[in-house]
Amino acid sequence: MDERIPVTRPVDHGTAKLLPDIDRKRAWLLTVNDAPQSYVDLDAPTHLEFEYARRLGHVLDTLGEPGRPLDVLHLGGGALTLPRYLTATRPGSRQDVVEADRGLIDLINEHVPVPDDAGIRLHAADARTWLETAAPDSADVVIADVFGGSRVPAHLTSVAYARAAGRVLRGGGVYLANLADTAPFAFLRSQLATFSTVFEELALIAEPGVLRGRRFGNAILVAAHHPVDTATLARRTAADAFPARLEHGAALRDFMGDAEPVRDENAVPSPEPPDGAFSIG
């Protein structure tokens, strides 16, 4: 294939496009229904273009010994940015990627595949269904980056879902989620309340303007049964090219306020982003 030619293809959940980056020889932007989903550079898998992906990368880098292989379950596949990152930074990691859109999996396998020996296995399945049937204590990390269009699906926001994630994680494991919201943060606060019913330790990483309610944006939820290295994470995220703030402890409890955990019967998707919130170009 000519690597400079954009690819457009119908997939299960709309229209996917792979757009070449004119500044990087083998880099691609994936969009679905014109919403940016992933960015990958096949020559530089440790390059994380999106701000939220960089923040997830910072968390992954601080887990255990540097370079130690991890067993990771990715909910949401996109163009496999973080699985490629972990293969490069933690060789020998075993990674399962669950993506509901089989057409998207086929597109990625055809045009930007991962090497056969990368330790990455792709599965066409619903994220929660997979969690509920996966082996207990089988993952060091669960990373949820699932969006139906530009919204987190409702069935991935409840206490039952959080319990399913907690069941799959080992005792020293960490759950990470890419969420999106803006003031007054009804969704984000409800997610903190929901995951606090399952996990003892929570942290939130976001751009300061998002946390101040100035704009709609992404926030990374970190949940664990053990203390997270928040000091290192705070330094790394603050020093990033796209600085972010880490909230935890009393400040995060104040942010959560009196929000109630979400039950399956009253779960709703994350809010619809305003026009232009995740625009490209």
Side-chain angles (χ1 to χ4, degrees), residues 149-168:
S150 298
R151 307 176 74 183
V152 178
H155 71 299
L156 305 184
T157 67
S158 69
V159 170
Y161 164 77
R163 286 175 181 158
R167 186 186 66 85
V168 170

Side-chain angles (χ1 to χ4, degrees), residues 20 34 49 61 65 80 84 95 102 107 113 117 120 131 136 141 179 183 188 191 211 219-220 236 245 256 271 278:
D34 294 323
E49 181 78 8
D61 290 346
E65 299 174 10
L80 310 178
R84 300 173 202 265
Q95 304 186 73
R102 186 179 296 274
L107 174 67
D117 61 355
I120 299 170
L131 268 184
V141 187
L179 306 174
L188 202 51
Q191 289 305 284
L211 290 175
I220 301 303
R236 292 192 60 153
R245 196 168 83 218
M256 182 169 60
F278 298 127

Side-chain angles (χ1 to χ4, degrees), residues 12-277:
D12 297 8
H13 298 147
T15 300
K17 296 179 183 178
L18 276 172
L19 307 172
D21 184 341
I22 61 173
D23 296 320
R24 289 175 172 263
K25 185 177 179 181
R26 298 180 71 217
W28 297 88
L29 172 69
L30 170 70
T31 69
V32 177
N33 298 331
D34 294 323
Q37 296 289 329
S38 301
Y39 180 101
V40 294
D41 187 333
L42 302 185
D43 290 331
T46 59
H47 174 74
L48 301 177
E49 181 78 8
F50 290 175
E51 296 176 25
Y52 85 85
R54 295 172 68 89
R55 289 159 194 161
L56 287 168
H58 289 314
V59 180
L60 293 170
D61 290 346
T62 63
L63 300 181
E65 299 174 10
R68 179 176 68 85
L70 298 171
D71 293 336
V72 184
L73 173 60
H74 301 263
L75 305 178
L80 310 178
T81 303
L82 286 171
R84 300 173 202 265
Y85 178 83
L86 281 166
T87 295
T89 59
R90 294 178 179 267
S93 293
R94 295 181 298 182
Q95 304 186 73
D96 287 288
V97 180
V98 179
E99 169 58 58
D101 194 320
R102 186 179 296 274
L104 183 58
I105 292 176
D106 292 341
L107 174 67
I108 298 306
N109 280 335
E110 182 177 345
H111 292 289
V112 285
V114 294
D116 291 338
D117 61 355
I120 299 170
R121 297 177 297 182
L122 306 183
H123 312 275
D126 173 77
R128 179 159 164 182
T129 301
W130 184 275
L131 268 184
E132 291 175 340
T133 57
D137 303 318
S138 57
D140 298 309
V141 187
V142 173
I143 304 174
D145 187 14
V146 184
F147 284 81
S150 298
R151 307 176 74 183
V152 178
H155 71 299
L156 305 184
T157 67
S158 69
V159 170
Y161 164 77
R163 286 175 181 158
R167 186 186 66 85
V168 170
L169 279 171
R170 294 174 179 139
V174 176
Y175 174 87
L176 305 174
N178 178 29
L179 306 174
D181 200 1
T182 192
F185 301 112
F187 175 74
L188 202 51
R189 292 169 64 236
S190 75
Q191 289 305 284
L192 291 167
T194 297
F195 279 83
S196 71
T197 67
V198 177
F199 295 95
E200 291 83 2
E201 300 287 336
L202 297 178
L204 197 67
I205 306 169
E207 192 268 324
V210 171
L211 290 175
R212 294 189 189 109
R214 293 178 180 172
R215 67 178 183 87
F216 188 97
N218 296 94
I220 301 303
L221 171 66
V222 184
H225 293 301
H226 55 85
V228 177
D229 188 355
T230 52
T232 299
L233 264 180
R235 288 195 301 269
R236 292 192 60 153
T237 54
D240 191 86
F242 303 99
R245 196 168 83 218
L246 182 143
E247 296 285 7
H248 67 102
L252 192 59
R253 288 191 292 272
D254 288 345
F255 179 85
M256 182 169 60
D258 59 358
E260 294 289 332
V262 176
R263 309 295 172 180
D264 277 334
E265 57 269 23
N266 57 17
V268 296
S270 63
E272 187 77 46
D275 290 343

